[in-house]
């Protein structure tokens, strides 16, 4: 068995000490550290935090030759075990890497554990040592002792993050399977009982979706662990095969004595729902190009619109179906997603397939031009799932066998055995459920850049679409920050702001000779006889510029959308809506 001993070298210096033991190394044993972690599609160069690398066989020092930015070779002799020691600097508080201080530790194996080439299929073990008194351990990896754990192979080893420290822990059961929820950094008023109950409802609803309502249906794991790190500011998650690492603002956690679902708590519940759904959709049902991972470079797929986008569709929908939010709250969330997609000119420049393929260089590396050049495979992918679901449901109304996206997901799961799939597999199941014409339309939606026919589809289920009032920034085609003056973050293509000469990084000082504290104050400076004329004073690179803009009546990149139940919807539409929303 390949074994890693992981110790705390210096918590104040944020250093882990690792000792890797390879019982029967190759004559030339290659070692490497992944450059990325599955689920987060960006090359992160974890090896930049590795230092003090040494190797020995018995009492003999073994020379290590570096062969690339993240790989080494050890020239071994005889049959003695190769022992490699090194330290890793761990001060990344995100869910993707490793963190260590005197209060808490956390790590993903991809950022700590060197891969022994040729030995990946062997069982791998972790032994923790030197933990401060009172520290606990939480992980979904199989325990073999008080502080020792074992995985079937290297892929599994790095798919079980580990939480260390003093934390709150609670448990519940879903479909007869134990689930554990660990929260680090929560305030004393944190209501753990409520979070457990709400997470249980989400998990049970998702298990029923994937495996049907039949009794005895169980998820594809024997135990599941939520690892939640509560911080002052933060949000995100990373899925794993039997766990998820989450980060959220501690003010968003439920509070004792409060029963309402705040916007912050709703966001946390949506994150829990999203990452748990990934247990099926991407960790097991996954792109065929991810059948095996190459940890040394980018792994490309055109299917993130399905694995991230469809998951984003279901995360909020499951909150509605399990009764954590009502119909109005769900439609408000959906309105925000639609408005966000319509607000970016990049939706006309990049298809969902292209956005998926380019995730490595675009989605995770956003800049001032991002909204002009790309579209989110999360947000538009969620709307694509909505369009497909409503199309299937409306086509099958009154038929002997109802069709829905739920059924498509279950069929993909069953036919693949919970394994790799291709776009052709998705289209084939859609064709069976909704016909060849719908499958072809789905293909065009994925590879084209036209807007989805959502207004008409939502009308079929008795949901009214109307345009909301645009803010001044939306009318101008601007995105600004107002925390330290009015600073331009992004200027949208085809906008009045672009035509008037505004650029990212500008600070807007005044309008029509009036000093501004907030951008919306500019509306108060417009004279009745010249309502569209804006003379802006702007600071750029220490220079003060005068720019003249003409204020449009409409939003420059799609007015915000507001969805609401139609007042007088036909009975057929109401029936479809109830089936869709589970109400």
């Amino acid at each position: 068995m390949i074994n890693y001993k992981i110790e705390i070298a210096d918590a104040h210096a944020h250093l882990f000490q690792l000792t890797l033991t390879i019982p029967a190394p190759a004559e030339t044993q290659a070692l490497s550290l992944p450059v990325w972690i599955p689920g987060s599609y960006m090359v992160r160069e974890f090896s930049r935090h590795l230092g003090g690398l040494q190797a020995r066989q018995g009492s003999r020092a073994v020379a290590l030759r570096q062969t690339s930015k993240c790989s080494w070779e050890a020239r071994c002799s005889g049959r003695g075990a190769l022992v490699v020691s090194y330290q890793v600097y761990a001060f990344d508080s995100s869910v993707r890497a490793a963190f260590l201080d005197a209060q808490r530790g956390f790590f993903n194996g991809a950022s700590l554990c060197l891969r022994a080439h040729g030995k990946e299929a062997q069982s791998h073990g972790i032994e923790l040592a030197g933990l401060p008194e009172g520290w606990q351990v939480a992980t979904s990896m199989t325990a073999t002792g008080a502080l020792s754990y074992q995985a079937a192979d290297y892929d599994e080893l790095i798919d079980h993050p580990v939480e260390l420290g003093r934390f709150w822990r609670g448990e519940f059961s879903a479909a007869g399977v134990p689930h554990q929820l660990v929260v680090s950094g929560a305030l004393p008023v944190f209501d753990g009982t409520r979070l457990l109950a709400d997470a249980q409802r989400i998990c049970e609803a998702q298990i029923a979706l994937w495996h049907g309502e039949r009794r005895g249906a169980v998820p594809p794991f024997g135990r599941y662990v939520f690892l939640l790190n509560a911080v002052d500011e933060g949000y995100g998650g990373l899925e794993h095969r039997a766990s998820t690492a989450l980060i959220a603002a501690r003010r968003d956690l439920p509070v004792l004595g409060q029963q309402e679902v705040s916007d912050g708590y709703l966001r946390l519940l949506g994150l829990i729902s999203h990452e748990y759904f990934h247990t099926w959709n991407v960790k097991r049902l996954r792109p065929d190009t991810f059948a095996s991972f190459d940890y040394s470079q980018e792994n490309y797929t055109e299917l993130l619109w399905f694995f991230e986008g469809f998951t984003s569709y279901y995360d909020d929908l499951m909150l509605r179906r399990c009764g954590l939010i009502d119909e109005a709250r769900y439609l408000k969330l959906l309105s925000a997603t639609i408005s966000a997609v319509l607000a970016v000119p990049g939706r006309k420049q990049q298809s969902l397939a292209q956005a998926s393929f380019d995730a490595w260089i675009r989605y995770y590396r956003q800049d001032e031009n991002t909204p002009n050049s790309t579209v989110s495979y999360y947000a538009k992918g969620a709307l694509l799932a909505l369009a497909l679901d409503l199309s299937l449901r409306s086509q099958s109304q009154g038929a002997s066998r109802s069709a829905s996206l739920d059924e498509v997901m279950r069929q993909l799961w069953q036919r693949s055995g919970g394994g790799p799939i291709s776009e052709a597999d998705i289209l084939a199941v859609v064709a069976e459920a909704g016909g060849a014409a719908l499958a072809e339309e789905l293909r065009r939606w994925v590879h084209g850049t036209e807007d989805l026919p959502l207004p008409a589809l939502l009308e079929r289920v008795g949901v009214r679409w109307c345009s909301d009032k645009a803010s001044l920034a939306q009318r101008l085609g601007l995105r600004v920050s107002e925390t330290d003056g009015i600073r331009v973050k992004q200027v949208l293509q085809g906008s009045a702001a672009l035509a008037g000469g505004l650029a990212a990084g500008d600070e807007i000082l005044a309008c029509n000779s009036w000093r501004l504290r907030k951008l919306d104050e500019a509306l108060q400076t417009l004279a009745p006889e010249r309502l569209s004329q804006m003379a802006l004073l702007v600071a750029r690179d220490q220079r003060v510029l005068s720019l003249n803009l003409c204020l449009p009546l409409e939003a420059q990149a799609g007015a915000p959308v507001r969805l609401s139940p139609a007042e007088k919807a036909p009975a057929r539409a109401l029936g479809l809506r109830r089936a869709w929303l589970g109400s």
Side-chain angles (χ1 to χ4, degrees):
M1 181 174 70
I2 309 300
N3 190 72
Y4 303 83
K5 184 177 182 180
I6 302 177
E7 304 173 84
I8 294 177
D10 188 335
H12 296 299
H14 320 294
L15 291 174
F16 282 112
Q17 175 70 43
L18 280 92
T19 305
L20 164 62
T21 302
I22 306 171
E27 184 176 340
T28 301
Q29 180 61 60
L31 305 166
S32 68
L33 197 66
V35 303
W36 69 290
I37 182 169
S40 184
Y41 307 103
M42 179 178 174
V43 172
R44 298 189 179 276
E45 313 291 20
F46 294 126
S47 60
R48 73 188 191 278
H49 295 309
L50 186 152
L53 191 63
Q54 298 180 353
R56 58 183 173 81
Q57 278 185 294
S59 59
R60 185 183 73 88
V62 175
L64 289 166
R65 184 175 73 91
Q66 188 162 3
T67 56
S68 76
K69 62 185 179 181
C70 62
S71 58
W72 297 261
E73 285 183 349
R75 292 297 179 91
C76 303
S77 62
R79 297 185 178 181
L82 176 65
V83 179
V84 181
S85 62
Y86 55 98
Q87 290 187 339
V88 174
Y89 176 75
F91 202 54
D92 184 334
S93 60
S94 77
V95 297
R96 296 175 293 265
F99 178 86
L100 178 64
D101 67 9
Q103 284 73 48
R104 173 181 176 263
F106 170 84
F107 64 85
N108 289 287
S111 61
L112 256 64
C113 298
L114 285 169
R115 176 166 62 105
H117 291 226
K119 314 293 183 181
E120 295 92 341
Q122 296 182 21
S123 61
H124 285 58
I126 283 181
E127 175 191 351
L128 300 173
L131 301 184
E133 184 178 355
W135 273 32
Q136 305 168 313
V137 181
T139 180
S140 56
M141 199 180 311
T142 300
T144 56
L147 293 174
S148 58
Y149 305 85
Q150 186 171 336
D153 51 34
Y154 184 79
D155 285 342
E156 183 185 337
L157 176 85
I158 66 170
D159 211 10
H160 292 290
V162 177
E163 178 76 22
L164 306 169
R166 299 176 181 89
F167 45 72
W168 179 92
R169 189 195 311 250
E171 297 182 350
F172 63 87
S173 177
V177 174
H179 289 61
Q180 189 175 93
L181 203 157
V182 167
V183 182
S184 176
L187 293 167
V189 293
F190 162 58
D191 189 346
T193 301
R194 181 182 180 189
L195 185 58
L196 285 173
D198 291 345
Q200 182 182 32
R201 292 167 71 174
I202 294 168
C203 295
E204 289 177 339
Q206 293 195 13
I207 293 169
L209 182 144
W210 282 103
H211 302 287
E213 300 287 349
R214 67 185 187 277
R215 296 182 63 182
V218 295
F221 47 79
R223 185 173 69 97
Y224 192 90
V225 181
F226 294 94
L227 304 173
L228 171 57
N229 182 29
V231 295
D232 183 35
E233 294 287 346
Y235 176 82
L238 187 61
E239 68 276 1
H240 297 276
R241 65 182 62 195
S243 64
T244 179
L246 309 169
I247 186 169
R250 58 176 58 91
R251 64 178 176 275
D252 291 343
L253 271 62
V255 175
L256 291 168
Q258 294 183 0
Q259 296 305 314
E260 73 275 8
V261 178
S262 67
D263 288 344
Y265 186 42
L266 177 57
R267 201 160 79 116
L268 173 58
L269 292 175
L271 178 63
I272 288 171
S273 181
H274 184 97
E275 302 304 335
Y276 192 69
F277 198 87
H278 270 319
T279 309
W280 292 266
N281 197 38
V282 91
K283 292 311 300 182
R284 290 169 175 82
L285 197 68
R286 60 192 184 277
D288 54 357
T289 54
F290 288 2
S292 61
F293 291 120
D294 182 347
Y295 296 112
S296 67
Q297 62 181 356
E298 298 88 343
N299 289 221
Y300 295 101
T301 177
E302 290 188 341
L303 292 177
L304 294 182
W305 58 267
F306 180 85
F307 292 101
E308 290 293 353
F310 280 38
T311 298
S312 295
Y313 169 62
Y314 275 108
D315 55 22
D316 288 338
L317 182 58
M318 298 310 296
L319 302 184
R320 169 66 202 111
R321 289 185 180 175
C322 70
L324 288 171
I325 57 174
D326 60 16
E327 181 182 276
R329 196 81 176 270
Y330 174 69
L331 292 179
K332 183 178 179 181
L333 292 171
L334 194 55
S335 300
T337 303
I338 293 171
S339 299
V341 172
L342 294 180
V344 294
R347 76 187 195 282
K348 296 292 188 180
Q349 303 297 322
Q350 187 183 51
S351 71
L352 281 168
Q354 291 169 329
S356 299
F357 195 86
D358 283 345
W360 297 89
I361 58 171
R362 290 183 184 266
Y363 185 81
Y364 285 91
R365 293 180 175 177
Q366 299 192 19
D367 57 28
E368 70 283 349
N369 195 49
T370 292
N372 296 318
S373 61
T374 189
V375 68
S376 167
Y377 51 78
Y378 282 90
K380 190 178 179 183
L383 299 185
L384 174 65
L386 170 65
L388 179 58
D389 198 4
L390 297 184
S391 297
L392 288 165
R393 290 177 184 277
S394 60
Q395 286 184 12
S396 66
Q397 179 75 357
S400 57
R401 178 171 175 262
S402 63
S404 67
L405 186 57
D406 299 355
E407 184 59 31
V408 167
M409 303 302 281
R410 282 192 290 268
Q411 285 296 316
L412 285 168
W413 176 263
Q414 292 168 11
R415 295 183 187 190
S416 69
I421 60 171
S422 65
E423 181 178 316
D425 296 324
I426 298 169
L427 294 175
V429 174
V430 170
E432 290 183 20
L438 181 57
E440 175 57 23
E441 189 165 31
L442 174 61
R443 190 195 66 77
R444 289 197 302 270
W445 289 341
V446 168
H447 294 277
T449 57
E450 69 273 16
D451 287 335
L452 300 165
L454 289 176
L457 290 170
L458 286 163
E459 185 179 356
R460 295 179 193 175
V461 295
V463 174
R464 182 170 172 263
W465 172 302
C466 65
S467 297
D468 217 340
K469 184 179 179 181
S471 68
L472 178 57
Q474 290 166 333
R475 289 168 65 183
L476 291 172
L478 275 179
R479 294 182 178 179
V480 300
S481 168
E482 297 179 320
T483 56
D484 181 22
I486 307 168
R487 297 191 177 275
V488 177
K489 295 173 60 180
Q490 294 165 327
V491 180
L492 303 184
Q493 291 290 341
S495 68
L498 186 69
L502 279 169
D506 287 353
E507 181 182 4
I508 301 175
L509 304 173
C511 180
N512 297 332
S513 300
W514 289 91
R515 185 76 167 92
L516 300 179
R517 294 179 300 272
K518 300 290 183 182
L519 183 61
D520 282 345
E521 292 176 348
L523 293 172
Q524 302 169 19
T525 73
L526 304 183
E529 67 276 10
R530 303 183 67 191
L531 282 175
S532 64
Q533 300 304 306
M534 301 179 67
L536 296 182
L537 197 63
V538 172
R540 179 187 300 167
D541 190 27
Q542 291 190 299
R543 299 179 183 226
V544 177
L545 309 176
S546 296
L547 303 176
N548 294 313
L549 274 68
C550 184
L551 177 63
L553 294 175
E554 304 290 340
Q556 289 288 284
V561 170
R562 184 174 70 252
L563 303 180
S564 59
E567 294 180 2
K568 295 182 179 180
R572 178 178 183 274
L574 290 175
L576 284 170
R577 193 165 81 226
R578 291 191 188 100
W580 165 45
L581 298 179
S583 56

